[in-house]
């Protein structure tokens, strides 16, 4: 098969060994995959795959199951599916644990379906499993126009949570509002903590979903409510910061670090099962939609990476492997 290989920091579409499903896995003929910031980090040598996983980039895909490993019902062969991967998506074929491979929602094509697994798993995991966001609570979503952000906005809207977003432009804030964000601010034009405190009449938000990390920590805690939960899912703003411990203690705030890729198969299976039960019906009916910014042929992966790195995107950038 062909796959994207990283050679001297260049993405090359070339021949490589075919994968073979192990017990509990399926082999997927990949129709499309997607670019995540984790791919850019892995390419730069900063985010290696978990031990034993494919070194090929790609954390999600959509396609057709063409082979079932031992322990997987043969009836799954032929299913149109999307999958959460630990790696290997930038290829013509990929293997994945069957529990991380679920049906494509009604009415979606492969490219649209590819925009679902990683971002909705990340948003759902961190808002509703890690932070235990409950109906009526308020959330702050940083990078609201990102793939995870656009997924999180829609989940908040459908599960009765008001949300405030930050993003890099007025146009992005307006798009977030069209998805259901209650309010928002451009991160370069104002202090988000001041805006959030004004929006909440000084109370603060109950949950913050943050891919920025270090540079946002102090302001995050400043606008986090009593018993609030801050979930850090990325370090775009640095990996260290001073923690104001006294207000954190007085307000009983919790800071949660979270990643998805290195979790166990059982943990990922739980997330995908809940997504299929609680979120996929909302996609079937069109209440929640995949947000796709651009689709590139897999051979143009370099250009797709450049676009993601530019911070100019809204939603997902998709790589099409086959028609």
């Amino acid at each position: 098969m062909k796959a994207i290989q990283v050679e001297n920091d260049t993405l090359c579409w070339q021949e490589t060994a075919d994968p073979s499903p192990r017990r509990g896995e399926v082999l997927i003929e990949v129709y499309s995959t997607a670019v995540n910031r984790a791919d850019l980090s892995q390419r730069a040598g900063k985010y290696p795959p978990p031990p034993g996983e494919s070194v090929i980039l790609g954390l999600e895909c959509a396609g057709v199951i063409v082979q079932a490993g031992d322990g997987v019902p043969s009836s799954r062969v032929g299913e149109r599916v999307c999958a959460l991967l630990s790696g290997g998506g930038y290829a013509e074929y990929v293997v994945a644990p069957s529990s991380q491979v679920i049906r494509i929602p009604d009415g979606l094509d492969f490219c649209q379906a590819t925009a679902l697994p990683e971002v909705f798993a990340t948003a759902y995991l961190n808002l509703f499993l890690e932070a235990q966001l409950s109906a009526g609570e308020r959330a702050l979503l940083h990078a609201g126009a990102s793939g995870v952000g656009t997924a999180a906005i829609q989940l908040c809207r459908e599960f009765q949570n008001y949300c405030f977003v930050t993003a890099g432009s007025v146009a992005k804030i307006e798009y977030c509002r069209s998805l259901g964000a209650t309010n928002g601010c451009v991160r370069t034009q104002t202090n988000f903590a001041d805006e959030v405190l004004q929006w909440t009449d000084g109370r603060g938000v109950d949950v913050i979903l943050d891919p920025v990390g270090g540079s946002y920590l102090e302001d995050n805690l400043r606008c986090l409510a009593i018993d609030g939960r801050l979930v850090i899912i990325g370090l775009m703003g640095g990996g260290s910061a001073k923690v104001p411990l006294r207000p954190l203690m007085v307000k009983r705030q919790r800071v949660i670090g979270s990643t998805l890729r290195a979790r166990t198969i059982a943990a990922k299976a739980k997330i995908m099962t809940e997504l299929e039960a609680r979120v996929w019906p909302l996609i079937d009916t069109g209440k929640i939609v995949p947000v796709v910014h651009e689709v590139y042929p897999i051979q143009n992966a370099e250009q797709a990476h450049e676009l993601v790195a530019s911070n100019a995107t809204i939603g997902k950038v998709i790589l099409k492997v086959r028609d």
Side-chain angles (χ1 to χ4, degrees):
M1 72 169 187
K2 285 188 174 180
I4 291 290
Q5 305 286 335
V6 182
E7 293 190 352
N8 299 319
D9 197 35
T10 299
L11 302 181
C12 305
W13 181 242
Q14 59 190 30
E15 290 291 334
T16 190
D18 293 346
S20 180
R22 298 168 291 192
R23 182 172 184 82
E25 293 182 334
V26 295
L27 178 66
I28 301 170
E29 183 180 43
V30 177
Y31 278 70
S32 53
T33 184
V35 180
N36 290 282
R37 284 198 170 271
D39 302 334
L40 277 63
S41 295
Q42 180 176 331
R43 176 183 178 180
K46 299 177 181 179
Y47 191 42
E53 300 296 343
S54 174
V55 297
I56 296 171
L57 302 174
L59 299 179
E60 59 199 326
C61 74
V64 176
I65 295 176
V66 294
Q67 185 180 345
D70 292 344
V72 179
S74 60
S75 59
R76 296 212 65 182
V77 173
E79 284 185 19
R80 296 174 72 252
V81 296
C82 52
L84 182 66
L85 309 171
S86 295
Y90 288 23
E92 292 181 311
Y93 294 90
V94 68
V95 295
S98 63
S99 58
Q100 294 171 209
V101 180
I102 59 179
R103 68 175 179 87
I104 291 177
D106 296 344
L108 300 190
D109 61 29
F110 288 113
C111 289
Q112 292 170 318
T114 304
L116 300 176
E118 177 72 15
V119 295
F120 277 92
T122 298
Y124 186 88
L125 161 67
N126 292 298
L127 288 174
F128 301 103
L129 300 181
E130 291 286 3
Q132 293 290 300
L133 182 65
S134 60
E137 289 190 313
R138 297 185 180 191
L140 166 60
L141 311 173
H142 290 301
S146 67
V148 172
T150 55
I153 291 167
Q154 296 183 81
L155 291 176
C156 285
R157 184 194 69 218
E158 293 302 317
F159 296 148
Q160 291 78 57
N161 299 108
Y162 296 107
C163 67
F164 187 100
V165 299
T166 65
S169 69
V170 171
K172 286 186 175 184
I173 294 296
E174 289 308 310
Y175 188 84
C176 291
R177 287 179 183 273
S178 75
L179 289 178
T182 316
N183 210 332
C185 68
V186 178
R187 57 181 168 79
T188 57
Q189 294 181 0
T190 187
N191 179 275
F192 72 81
D194 292 339
E195 295 291 327
V196 167
L197 288 170
Q198 182 178 352
W199 177 58
T200 59
D201 296 323
R203 178 184 177 277
V205 290
D206 303 287
V207 169
I208 299 174
L209 186 60
D210 177 33
V212 178
S215 62
Y216 275 16
L217 182 61
E218 188 169 354
D219 279 332
N220 276 335
L221 294 178
R222 184 161 69 88
C223 67
L224 192 63
I226 293 172
D227 292 318
R229 292 85 72 196
L230 164 63
V231 187
I232 300 174
I233 61 171
L235 300 174
M236 294 171 62
S240 61
K242 292 182 178 180
V243 181
L245 293 176
R246 184 174 297 279
L248 184 145
M249 293 171 61
V250 170
K251 296 172 73 175
R252 301 186 300 275
Q253 296 169 333
R254 280 172 279 168
V255 179
I256 303 164
S258 178
T259 60
L260 175 60
R261 188 181 193 182
R263 290 175 188 254
T264 64
I265 292 173
K268 292 178 183 177
K270 173 179 170 60
I271 299 164
M272 297 305 282
T273 296
E274 292 208 21
L275 280 181
E276 190 167 20
R278 297 194 67 197
V279 178
W280 258 225
L282 298 171
I283 302 173
D284 289 333
T285 58
K287 292 181 178 179
I288 285 178
V289 297
V291 179
V292 175
H293 183 92
E294 190 74 66
V295 177
Y296 289 94
I298 187 73
Q299 295 86 351
N300 291 8
E302 189 77 53
Q303 187 177 352
H305 274 219
E306 291 173 0
L307 177 59
V308 171
S310 74
N311 294 322
T313 57
I314 294 176
K316 299 287 290 188
V317 173
I318 305 299
L319 298 173
K320 193 172 185 178
V321 177
R322 52 170 54 86
D323 294 324

